[in-house]
Amino acid sequence: MFVNSLYFVISNELTSESIVSEIKINEQHAVFEGHFPGSPVMPGVVQLQIVKEILEAHLRRKLAMKTMRTCKFLEVLNPRENPNVRINIKYKQSEILDVVASGEAPGKVFFKMQASYL
C-alpha cells in the first residue's frame, strides 16, 4: 500500500524471529499534504501500517491485526528531519503472530507497539 511510494526499503536484516528494516521516507508523498502543510508529520496509523507491510512481505502472506496490547508514540516523525528510520520487529509465530516493534532514528524512538496478528 505504501511501500515504494511513501517509503522505500533500503535494507533488511532477517532472522527466524526478527526483522530490522532501514527505510527512507518520501517527504513529497501526498499523505504529508494534509498532515500537515508546511510541517510534515507521519501519521501514527501509517507508522503501524509500515510495520504490517514489512511483516507481510517477509512472511509472504496477508495479516489482520487481532489485538493491540500497547502502542506509544514517543516522538514526532518529521520526514524532513528524519528521512531514514529503522523499523525493529520481533515476532513469535504460532496460531497467532505476536509482535513487538519500534521505529527509531539515532537518538530517537518514534513509536513502540505490541500487537497480535492473524
Side-chain angles (χ1 to χ4, degrees):
M1 182 168 156
F2 290 118
V3 69
N4 297 325
S5 64
L6 174 63
Y7 71 96
F8 302 87
V9 177
I10 298 168
S11 67
N12 282 314
E13 295 176 27
L14 309 171
T15 71
S16 62
E17 293 187 335
S18 72
I19 307 165
V20 177
S21 292
E22 295 288 338
I23 66 168
K24 179 163 183 62
I25 301 169
N26 172 12
E27 71 175 78
Q28 302 301 318
H29 192 274
V31 75
F32 299 116
E33 291 174 13
H35 209 266
F36 298 95
S39 183
V41 173
M42 177 76 76
V45 68
V46 174
Q47 294 176 59
L48 300 180
Q49 178 66 25
I50 291 170
V51 170
K52 180 178 175 256
E53 289 182 18
I54 290 170
L55 275 165
E56 287 177 334
H58 177 65
L59 299 173
R60 297 182 183 172
R61 65 182 173 109
K62 290 290 185 185
L63 298 172
M65 186 180 291
K66 180 178 181 194
T67 60
M68 173 74 68
R69 286 187 300 283
T70 62
C71 183
K72 295 181 181 181
F73 295 98
L74 304 165
E75 294 270 348
V76 171
L77 177 44
N78 178 326
R80 290 182 186 154
E81 295 172 3
N82 297 101
N84 297 317
V85 176
R86 176 181 297 150
I87 306 295
N88 299 300
I89 303 170
K90 293 182 182 177
Y91 63 92
K92 288 193 178 195
Q93 186 149 1
S94 59
E95 193 173 308
I96 294 174
L97 184 68
D98 289 317
V99 175
V100 175
S102 64
E104 304 174 12
K108 293 186 178 187
V109 177
F110 301 107
F111 72 90
K112 292 183 178 183
M113 59 146 335
Q114 293 180 343
S116 297
Y117 294 86
L118 299 173

